[in-house]
Amino acid sequence: MEGNRRHVVVVGGGISGLAAAWYLRQGDEHLEITVLDGAPRVGGKLHAAEVAGVTVDTGAEAMLARRPEGKELARAVGLGEELRLPGTTRASILSRGTLRPMSKGHVMGVPSDLLALARSRVLSPGGLARAGLEPALPATRIATDVSVAAYIRARMGEEVVDRLVEPLLGGVYAGRAERLSLDATMPRIAAAARSERSLLAAARHIAADAPKDAGPVFTTLRRGMGSLPEAVATASGATIRTGVTVRELRRTPSGWLLVTGPVPRPETLEADAVIVAVPAPAASRLLAQEAPSAAAELARIEYASMAIVTLAYPLEAFPRPPDGSGYLVPAVDGRTVKAVTFSSVKWPHLAETDPGLVLLRCSIGRIGEEETLQRDDAGLVAAATAEMADVMGVRGLPRDSRVTRWGGSLPQYEVGHLDRVARVRSAAAALPGLALCGAAYDGLGIPACVSTARTAAARILDHLDPTGEWQSRTDSLTKG
């Protein structure tokens, strides 16, 4: 590092790494910041492409509107005018071959209103009766983390897990309720499980406490969430290097040494500090030498693969125009497609280019369904179009289609995840000038990733400027 100009390297050019670079810049405009990513482009799981002449997201399509971090970042990098709200968020469940409305007032699938649940007809009469027994059951106190399925099944029965909770978790994590952590994926329910006797009553209290004027749950950008990474990268002023894989990370007396390039011709890069913003398996390899305990914990985080099949149909192919934002599919029904979004209905701005075009987004793949994803693109399109013909009565073939594969993209927050993350952070904290961020830690959504990036940047800025003067230079970066 020349003179007094300090150099921070961010390993990983997804939204977490790019946001970390942007927050670093807010704290110190004189920092030299380099972002390295092995892919040919930045953005990670945020990417947009054209289908039938319309730009659509082929990765994450939205972010939570009720968490501020994602919206604030978009506004800060000049995309405030691009924010768009959904036209509808009314979703359905495809249960036993029939689309049923999701009951109102549920908490991640856990019902709070048995009458609304009965009207939805998602459960069988037996399943509804079993759920109705819940208030009379003895309390189920949990002392430690348990799986989502174990707790909710004990309280409300198998069908609530299979036909309400599992589809929502599958949509977010591509995971299984039998393995996912109650504490990490449903924290409000987990808190209630430790303090209230009845799960139904707890869900009712959570639903009642939800702000009534909070507005839509989700928001997106006019040109897609895929437009966010480039804007953040540009605003960060960082040097962005794609196609560069970091193979080793070593401590030096003055900071860190990063080894890149092919094994026969390695290249090195020096840094005063490093932010590791890559998925857990890659982070584990990088930390193996300097933080073996953290590396071992990260190596235990599994990832699910999935594919997005985007279809564009003429409106006249539908016997009735699609209604609502889409539907979720219980894994127990054994269908290939796990969720369908009626994109041009959910996001009206997508229909502006061609009102006669219906854009659909089909999600395929859960943890353990890798064999399904081994089909070629034509096979996945065939599965998606067959789904549309069967469920929506669509006639004919789509006007255009696109398959986007996301291998090993969704970390699984399995039982004990929060304790694992705490152990990783404790081990990393012992290494000055190192911080971690990304989807593997505190949430998969964009706001959660941005929050981990902000915390990581604050840690590095504290390391570089322990006087805390960097805080007075920005009001958009907070510590902790």
PDB file of all heavy atoms in Angstrom, residues 366-398:
ATOM      1  N   ARG A 366     -35.885 -28.087  -5.079  1.00  0.00           N
ATOM      2  CA  ARG A 366     -35.746 -27.957  -3.631  1.00  0.00           C
ATOM      3  C   ARG A 366     -34.510 -28.745  -3.213  1.00  0.00           C
ATOM      4  O   ARG A 366     -33.961 -29.515  -3.995  1.00  0.00           O
ATOM      5  CB  ARG A 366     -36.968 -28.529  -2.897  1.00  0.00           C
ATOM      6  CG  ARG A 366     -38.300 -27.863  -3.223  1.00  0.00           C
ATOM      7  CD  ARG A 366     -39.419 -28.589  -2.463  1.00  0.00           C
ATOM      8  NE  ARG A 366     -40.727 -28.014  -2.697  1.00  0.00           N
ATOM      9  CZ  ARG A 366     -41.542 -28.364  -3.692  1.00  0.00           C
ATOM     10  NH1 ARG A 366     -41.144 -29.269  -4.569  1.00  0.00           N
ATOM     11  NH2 ARG A 366     -42.726 -27.812  -3.817  1.00  0.00           N
ATOM     12  N   ILE A 367     -34.088 -28.582  -1.985  1.00  0.00           N
ATOM     13  CA  ILE A 367     -32.973 -29.366  -1.479  1.00  0.00           C
ATOM     14  C   ILE A 367     -33.311 -30.854  -1.642  1.00  0.00           C
ATOM     15  O   ILE A 367     -34.421 -31.288  -1.345  1.00  0.00           O
ATOM     16  CB  ILE A 367     -32.676 -29.031   0.005  1.00  0.00           C
ATOM     17  CG1 ILE A 367     -31.347 -29.646   0.450  1.00  0.00           C
ATOM     18  CG2 ILE A 367     -33.808 -29.439   0.909  1.00  0.00           C
ATOM     19  CD1 ILE A 367     -30.146 -28.889   0.019  1.00  0.00           C
ATOM     20  N   GLY A 368     -32.383 -31.614  -2.184  1.00  0.00           N
ATOM     21  CA  GLY A 368     -32.618 -33.035  -2.401  1.00  0.00           C
ATOM     22  C   GLY A 368     -33.239 -33.369  -3.744  1.00  0.00           C
ATOM     23  O   GLY A 368     -33.457 -34.547  -4.052  1.00  0.00           O
ATOM     24  N   GLU A 369     -33.534 -32.342  -4.574  1.00  0.00           N
ATOM     25  CA  GLU A 369     -34.148 -32.586  -5.882  1.00  0.00           C
ATOM     26  C   GLU A 369     -33.181 -32.290  -7.024  1.00  0.00           C
ATOM     27  O   GLU A 369     -33.577 -31.841  -8.092  1.00  0.00           O
ATOM     28  CB  GLU A 369     -35.416 -31.730  -6.037  1.00  0.00           C
ATOM     29  CG  GLU A 369     -36.528 -32.121  -5.088  1.00  0.00           C
ATOM     30  CD  GLU A 369     -37.798 -31.311  -5.302  1.00  0.00           C
ATOM     31  OE1 GLU A 369     -37.771 -30.371  -6.131  1.00  0.00           O
ATOM     32  OE2 GLU A 369     -38.795 -31.603  -4.633  1.00  0.00           O
ATOM     33  N   GLU A 370     -31.898 -32.566  -6.787  1.00  0.00           N
ATOM     34  CA  GLU A 370     -30.890 -32.266  -7.796  1.00  0.00           C
ATOM     35  C   GLU A 370     -31.131 -33.032  -9.086  1.00  0.00           C
ATOM     36  O   GLU A 370     -30.810 -32.551 -10.179  1.00  0.00           O
ATOM     37  CB  GLU A 370     -29.491 -32.575  -7.253  1.00  0.00           C
ATOM     38  CG  GLU A 370     -29.008 -31.600  -6.178  1.00  0.00           C
ATOM     39  CD  GLU A 370     -29.699 -31.788  -4.829  1.00  0.00           C
ATOM     40  OE1 GLU A 370     -30.311 -32.853  -4.621  1.00  0.00           O
ATOM     41  OE2 GLU A 370     -29.626 -30.863  -3.994  1.00  0.00           O
ATOM     42  N   GLU A 371     -31.711 -34.231  -8.975  1.00  0.00           N
ATOM     43  CA  GLU A 371     -31.958 -35.033 -10.183  1.00  0.00           C
ATOM     44  C   GLU A 371     -32.907 -34.321 -11.134  1.00  0.00           C
ATOM     45  O   GLU A 371     -32.749 -34.378 -12.351  1.00  0.00           O
ATOM     46  CB  GLU A 371     -32.514 -36.406  -9.790  1.00  0.00           C
ATOM     47  CG  GLU A 371     -32.679 -37.358 -10.971  1.00  0.00           C
ATOM     48  CD  GLU A 371     -33.135 -38.736 -10.547  1.00  0.00           C
ATOM     49  OE1 GLU A 371     -33.042 -39.067  -9.341  1.00  0.00           O
ATOM     50  OE2 GLU A 371     -33.591 -39.494 -11.427  1.00  0.00           O
ATOM     51  N   THR A 372     -33.887 -33.633 -10.574  1.00  0.00           N
ATOM     52  CA  THR A 372     -34.828 -32.872 -11.407  1.00  0.00           C
ATOM     53  C   THR A 372     -34.089 -31.825 -12.229  1.00  0.00           C
ATOM     54  O   THR A 372     -34.399 -31.608 -13.413  1.00  0.00           O
ATOM     55  CB  THR A 372     -35.881 -32.182 -10.525  1.00  0.00           C
ATOM     56  OG1 THR A 372     -36.627 -33.175  -9.827  1.00  0.00           O
ATOM     57  CG2 THR A 372     -36.826 -31.331 -11.360  1.00  0.00           C
ATOM     58  N   LEU A 373     -33.105 -31.185 -11.613  1.00  0.00           N
ATOM     59  CA  LEU A 373     -32.379 -30.110 -12.286  1.00  0.00           C
ATOM     60  C   LEU A 373     -31.362 -30.618 -13.294  1.00  0.00           C
ATOM     61  O   LEU A 373     -30.746 -29.821 -14.009  1.00  0.00           O
ATOM     62  CB  LEU A 373     -31.690 -29.231 -11.240  1.00  0.00           C
ATOM     63  CG  LEU A 373     -32.638 -28.505 -10.280  1.00  0.00           C
ATOM     64  CD1 LEU A 373     -31.851 -27.798  -9.193  1.00  0.00           C
ATOM     65  CD2 LEU A 373     -33.526 -27.527 -11.028  1.00  0.00           C
ATOM     66  N   GLN A 374     -31.174 -31.934 -13.375  1.00  0.00           N
ATOM     67  CA  GLN A 374     -30.270 -32.493 -14.368  1.00  0.00           C
ATOM     68  C   GLN A 374     -30.905 -32.548 -15.757  1.00  0.00           C
ATOM     69  O   GLN A 374     -30.221 -32.840 -16.747  1.00  0.00           O
ATOM     70  CB  GLN A 374     -29.801 -33.876 -13.936  1.00  0.00           C
ATOM     71  CG  GLN A 374     -28.858 -33.833 -12.731  1.00  0.00           C
ATOM     72  CD  GLN A 374     -28.498 -35.204 -12.209  1.00  0.00           C
ATOM     73  OE1 GLN A 374     -28.906 -36.222 -12.757  1.00  0.00           O
ATOM     74  NE2 GLN A 374     -27.744 -35.241 -11.123  1.00  0.00           N
ATOM     75  N   ARG A 375     -32.188 -32.287 -15.846  1.00  0.00           N
ATOM     76  CA  ARG A 375     -32.829 -32.198 -17.166  1.00  0.00           C
ATOM     77  C   ARG A 375     -32.228 -31.034 -17.943  1.00  0.00           C
ATOM     78  O   ARG A 375     -31.809 -30.025 -17.362  1.00  0.00           O
ATOM     79  CB  ARG A 375     -34.336 -31.968 -17.023  1.00  0.00           C
ATOM     80  CG  ARG A 375     -35.071 -33.009 -16.210  1.00  0.00           C
ATOM     81  CD  ARG A 375     -36.557 -32.692 -16.182  1.00  0.00           C
ATOM     82  NE  ARG A 375     -37.246 -33.438 -15.148  1.00  0.00           N
ATOM     83  CZ  ARG A 375     -38.552 -33.350 -14.912  1.00  0.00           C
ATOM     84  NH1 ARG A 375     -39.307 -32.543 -15.662  1.00  0.00           N
ATOM     85  NH2 ARG A 375     -39.123 -34.047 -13.950  1.00  0.00           N
ATOM     86  N   ASP A 376     -32.212 -31.160 -19.258  1.00  0.00           N
ATOM     87  CA  ASP A 376     -31.709 -30.044 -20.061  1.00  0.00           C
ATOM     88  C   ASP A 376     -32.746 -28.922 -20.087  1.00  0.00           C
ATOM     89  O   ASP A 376     -33.859 -29.068 -19.550  1.00  0.00           O
ATOM     90  CB  ASP A 376     -31.331 -30.499 -21.470  1.00  0.00           C
ATOM     91  CG  ASP A 376     -32.509 -31.081 -22.261  1.00  0.00           C
ATOM     92  OD1 ASP A 376     -33.680 -30.893 -21.853  1.00  0.00           O
ATOM     93  OD2 ASP A 376     -32.260 -31.720 -23.299  1.00  0.00           O
ATOM     94  N   ASP A 377     -32.373 -27.789 -20.676  1.00  0.00           N
ATOM     95  CA  ASP A 377     -33.269 -26.630 -20.670  1.00  0.00           C
ATOM     96  C   ASP A 377     -34.617 -26.957 -21.304  1.00  0.00           C
ATOM     97  O   ASP A 377     -35.670 -26.537 -20.805  1.00  0.00           O
ATOM     98  CB  ASP A 377     -32.614 -25.456 -21.405  1.00  0.00           C
ATOM     99  CG  ASP A 377     -31.505 -24.808 -20.597  1.00  0.00           C
ATOM    100  OD1 ASP A 377     -31.223 -25.296 -19.485  1.00  0.00           O
ATOM    101  OD2 ASP A 377     -30.918 -23.813 -21.068  1.00  0.00           O
ATOM    102  N   ALA A 378     -34.586 -27.708 -22.403  1.00  0.00           N
ATOM    103  CA  ALA A 378     -35.841 -28.061 -23.077  1.00  0.00           C
ATOM    104  C   ALA A 378     -36.737 -28.882 -22.154  1.00  0.00           C
ATOM    105  O   ALA A 378     -37.967 -28.720 -22.144  1.00  0.00           O
ATOM    106  CB  ALA A 378     -35.545 -28.828 -24.361  1.00  0.00           C
ATOM    107  N   GLY A 379     -36.118 -29.760 -21.357  1.00  0.00           N
ATOM    108  CA  GLY A 379     -36.898 -30.569 -20.427  1.00  0.00           C
ATOM    109  C   GLY A 379     -37.537 -29.742 -19.330  1.00  0.00           C
ATOM    110  O   GLY A 379     -38.683 -29.989 -18.931  1.00  0.00           O
ATOM    111  N   LEU A 380     -36.815 -28.731 -18.831  1.00  0.00           N
ATOM    112  CA  LEU A 380     -37.386 -27.864 -17.799  1.00  0.00           C
ATOM    113  C   LEU A 380     -38.500 -26.989 -18.366  1.00  0.00           C
ATOM    114  O   LEU A 380     -39.522 -26.764 -17.710  1.00  0.00           O
ATOM    115  CB  LEU A 380     -36.297 -27.001 -17.172  1.00  0.00           C
ATOM    116  CG  LEU A 380     -35.240 -27.743 -16.345  1.00  0.00           C
ATOM    117  CD1 LEU A 380     -34.238 -26.761 -15.752  1.00  0.00           C
ATOM    118  CD2 LEU A 380     -35.877 -28.566 -15.234  1.00  0.00           C
ATOM    119  N   VAL A 381     -38.315 -26.491 -19.585  1.00  0.00           N
ATOM    120  CA  VAL A 381     -39.380 -25.709 -20.228  1.00  0.00           C
ATOM    121  C   VAL A 381     -40.610 -26.586 -20.448  1.00  0.00           C
ATOM    122  O   VAL A 381     -41.748 -26.153 -20.216  1.00  0.00           O
ATOM    123  CB  VAL A 381     -38.890 -25.101 -21.558  1.00  0.00           C
ATOM    124  CG1 VAL A 381     -40.058 -24.500 -22.338  1.00  0.00           C
ATOM    125  CG2 VAL A 381     -37.833 -24.036 -21.301  1.00  0.00           C
ATOM    126  N   ALA A 382     -40.395 -27.831 -20.857  1.00  0.00           N
ATOM    127  CA  ALA A 382     -41.520 -28.749 -21.066  1.00  0.00           C
ATOM    128  C   ALA A 382     -42.280 -28.987 -19.763  1.00  0.00           C
ATOM    129  O   ALA A 382     -43.518 -29.033 -19.747  1.00  0.00           O
ATOM    130  CB  ALA A 382     -41.013 -30.068 -21.638  1.00  0.00           C
ATOM    131  N   ALA A 383     -41.547 -29.142 -18.658  1.00  0.00           N
ATOM    132  CA  ALA A 383     -42.202 -29.341 -17.365  1.00  0.00           C
ATOM    133  C   ALA A 383     -43.019 -28.120 -16.973  1.00  0.00           C
ATOM    134  O   ALA A 383     -44.144 -28.236 -16.465  1.00  0.00           O
ATOM    135  CB  ALA A 383     -41.144 -29.642 -16.297  1.00  0.00           C
ATOM    136  N   ALA A 384     -42.463 -26.935 -17.214  1.00  0.00           N
ATOM    137  CA  ALA A 384     -43.166 -25.702 -16.854  1.00  0.00           C
ATOM    138  C   ALA A 384     -44.401 -25.492 -17.724  1.00  0.00           C
ATOM    139  O   ALA A 384     -45.461 -25.098 -17.225  1.00  0.00           O
ATOM    140  CB  ALA A 384     -42.224 -24.505 -16.968  1.00  0.00           C
ATOM    141  N   THR A 385     -44.289 -25.738 -19.019  1.00  0.00           N
ATOM    142  CA  THR A 385     -45.446 -25.550 -19.902  1.00  0.00           C
ATOM    143  C   THR A 385     -46.531 -26.585 -19.611  1.00  0.00           C
ATOM    144  O   THR A 385     -47.723 -26.278 -19.700  1.00  0.00           O
ATOM    145  CB  THR A 385     -45.026 -25.621 -21.376  1.00  0.00           C
ATOM    146  OG1 THR A 385     -44.328 -26.842 -21.632  1.00  0.00           O
ATOM    147  CG2 THR A 385     -44.119 -24.458 -21.741  1.00  0.00           C
ATOM    148  N   ALA A 386     -46.126 -27.803 -19.249  1.00  0.00           N
ATOM    149  CA  ALA A 386     -47.118 -28.810 -18.871  1.00  0.00           C
ATOM    150  C   ALA A 386     -47.865 -28.380 -17.610  1.00  0.00           C
ATOM    151  O   ALA A 386     -49.079 -28.590 -17.481  1.00  0.00           O
ATOM    152  CB  ALA A 386     -46.432 -30.160 -18.650  1.00  0.00           C
ATOM    153  N   GLU A 387     -47.138 -27.766 -16.670  1.00  0.00           N
ATOM    154  CA  GLU A 387     -47.764 -27.239 -15.459  1.00  0.00           C
ATOM    155  C   GLU A 387     -48.800 -26.177 -15.804  1.00  0.00           C
ATOM    156  O   GLU A 387     -49.913 -26.164 -15.270  1.00  0.00           O
ATOM    157  CB  GLU A 387     -46.693 -26.647 -14.541  1.00  0.00           C
ATOM    158  CG  GLU A 387     -47.213 -25.938 -13.309  1.00  0.00           C
ATOM    159  CD  GLU A 387     -47.495 -26.871 -12.153  1.00  0.00           C
ATOM    160  OE1 GLU A 387     -47.151 -28.065 -12.244  1.00  0.00           O
ATOM    161  OE2 GLU A 387     -48.074 -26.402 -11.163  1.00  0.00           O
ATOM    162  N   MET A 388     -48.449 -25.279 -16.720  1.00  0.00           N
ATOM    163  CA  MET A 388     -49.374 -24.211 -17.100  1.00  0.00           C
ATOM    164  C   MET A 388     -50.611 -24.767 -17.801  1.00  0.00           C
ATOM    165  O   MET A 388     -51.721 -24.282 -17.589  1.00  0.00           O
ATOM    166  CB  MET A 388     -48.663 -23.206 -18.007  1.00  0.00           C
ATOM    167  CG  MET A 388     -47.593 -22.369 -17.326  1.00  0.00           C
ATOM    168  SD  MET A 388     -48.239 -21.394 -15.937  1.00  0.00           S
ATOM    169  CE  MET A 388     -47.906 -22.490 -14.566  1.00  0.00           C
ATOM    170  N   ALA A 389     -50.420 -25.790 -18.618  1.00  0.00           N
ATOM    171  CA  ALA A 389     -51.562 -26.396 -19.306  1.00  0.00           C
ATOM    172  C   ALA A 389     -52.491 -27.088 -18.300  1.00  0.00           C
ATOM    173  O   ALA A 389     -53.722 -26.974 -18.380  1.00  0.00           O
ATOM    174  CB  ALA A 389     -51.067 -27.390 -20.346  1.00  0.00           C
ATOM    175  N   ASP A 390     -51.895 -27.780 -17.332  1.00  0.00           N
ATOM    176  CA  ASP A 390     -52.679 -28.545 -16.374  1.00  0.00           C
ATOM    177  C   ASP A 390     -53.407 -27.640 -15.387  1.00  0.00           C
ATOM    178  O   ASP A 390     -54.600 -27.813 -15.119  1.00  0.00           O
ATOM    179  CB  ASP A 390     -51.748 -29.509 -15.625  1.00  0.00           C
ATOM    180  CG  ASP A 390     -52.480 -30.332 -14.588  1.00  0.00           C
ATOM    181  OD1 ASP A 390     -53.631 -30.745 -14.852  1.00  0.00           O
ATOM    182  OD2 ASP A 390     -51.915 -30.565 -13.497  1.00  0.00           O
ATOM    183  N   VAL A 391     -52.707 -26.659 -14.838  1.00  0.00           N
ATOM    184  CA  VAL A 391     -53.275 -25.840 -13.761  1.00  0.00           C
ATOM    185  C   VAL A 391     -54.054 -24.647 -14.294  1.00  0.00           C
ATOM    186  O   VAL A 391     -55.141 -24.330 -13.800  1.00  0.00           O
ATOM    187  CB  VAL A 391     -52.152 -25.355 -12.816  1.00  0.00           C
ATOM    188  CG1 VAL A 391     -52.714 -24.444 -11.720  1.00  0.00           C
ATOM    189  CG2 VAL A 391     -51.434 -26.541 -12.197  1.00  0.00           C
ATOM    190  N   MET A 392     -53.502 -23.971 -15.310  1.00  0.00           N
ATOM    191  CA  MET A 392     -54.101 -22.738 -15.806  1.00  0.00           C
ATOM    192  C   MET A 392     -54.887 -22.921 -17.099  1.00  0.00           C
ATOM    193  O   MET A 392     -55.495 -21.980 -17.591  1.00  0.00           O
ATOM    194  CB  MET A 392     -53.010 -21.685 -16.027  1.00  0.00           C
ATOM    195  CG  MET A 392     -52.167 -21.367 -14.797  1.00  0.00           C
ATOM    196  SD  MET A 392     -53.149 -20.700 -13.439  1.00  0.00           S
ATOM    197  CE  MET A 392     -53.710 -19.156 -14.158  1.00  0.00           C
ATOM    198  N   GLY A 393     -54.840 -24.123 -17.666  1.00  0.00           N
ATOM    199  CA  GLY A 393     -55.562 -24.371 -18.907  1.00  0.00           C
ATOM    200  C   GLY A 393     -54.970 -23.659 -20.106  1.00  0.00           C
ATOM    201  O   GLY A 393     -55.681 -23.382 -21.088  1.00  0.00           O
ATOM    202  N   VAL A 394     -53.671 -23.362 -20.060  1.00  0.00           N
ATOM    203  CA  VAL A 394     -53.029 -22.629 -21.154  1.00  0.00           C
ATOM    204  C   VAL A 394     -52.982 -23.492 -22.404  1.00  0.00           C
ATOM    205  O   VAL A 394     -52.671 -24.685 -22.363  1.00  0.00           O
ATOM    206  CB  VAL A 394     -51.602 -22.207 -20.742  1.00  0.00           C
ATOM    207  CG1 VAL A 394     -50.895 -21.521 -21.903  1.00  0.00           C
ATOM    208  CG2 VAL A 394     -51.662 -21.289 -19.539  1.00  0.00           C
ATOM    209  N   ARG A 395     -53.280 -22.880 -23.536  1.00  0.00           N
ATOM    210  CA  ARG A 395     -53.273 -23.580 -24.819  1.00  0.00           C
ATOM    211  C   ARG A 395     -52.050 -23.164 -25.632  1.00  0.00           C
ATOM    212  O   ARG A 395     -51.707 -21.980 -25.708  1.00  0.00           O
ATOM    213  CB  ARG A 395     -54.539 -23.244 -25.614  1.00  0.00           C
ATOM    214  CG  ARG A 395     -55.837 -23.649 -24.913  1.00  0.00           C
ATOM    215  CD  ARG A 395     -57.045 -23.257 -25.751  1.00  0.00           C
ATOM    216  NE  ARG A 395     -57.162 -21.805 -25.873  1.00  0.00           N
ATOM    217  CZ  ARG A 395     -57.828 -21.035 -25.034  1.00  0.00           C
ATOM    218  NH1 ARG A 395     -58.452 -21.581 -23.996  1.00  0.00           N
ATOM    219  NH2 ARG A 395     -57.900 -19.728 -25.223  1.00  0.00           N
ATOM    220  N   GLY A 396     -51.398 -24.134 -26.237  1.00  0.00           N
ATOM    221  CA  GLY A 396     -50.281 -23.845 -27.120  1.00  0.00           C
ATOM    222  C   GLY A 396     -48.972 -23.637 -26.376  1.00  0.00           C
ATOM    223  O   GLY A 396     -48.880 -23.793 -25.150  1.00  0.00           O
ATOM    224  N   LEU A 397     -47.954 -23.280 -27.144  1.00  0.00           N
ATOM    225  CA  LEU A 397     -46.611 -23.093 -26.604  1.00  0.00           C
ATOM    226  C   LEU A 397     -46.346 -21.623 -26.313  1.00  0.00           C
ATOM    227  O   LEU A 397     -46.977 -20.745 -26.908  1.00  0.00           O
ATOM    228  CB  LEU A 397     -45.574 -23.622 -27.591  1.00  0.00           C
ATOM    229  CG  LEU A 397     -45.635 -25.126 -27.873  1.00  0.00           C
ATOM    230  CD1 LEU A 397     -44.629 -25.491 -28.970  1.00  0.00           C
ATOM    231  CD2 LEU A 397     -45.385 -25.938 -26.608  1.00  0.00           C
ATOM    232  N   PRO A 398     -45.405 -21.340 -25.418  1.00  0.00           N
ATOM    233  CA  PRO A 398     -45.080 -19.941 -25.136  1.00  0.00           C
ATOM    234  C   PRO A 398     -44.435 -19.276 -26.343  1.00  0.00           C
ATOM    235  O   PRO A 398     -43.804 -19.928 -27.175  1.00  0.00           O
ATOM    236  CB  PRO A 398     -44.106 -20.026 -23.959  1.00  0.00           C
ATOM    237  CG  PRO A 398     -43.519 -21.390 -24.048  1.00  0.00           C
ATOM    238  CD  PRO A 398     -44.604 -22.267 -24.597  1.00  0.00           C
TER     239      PRO A 398
END
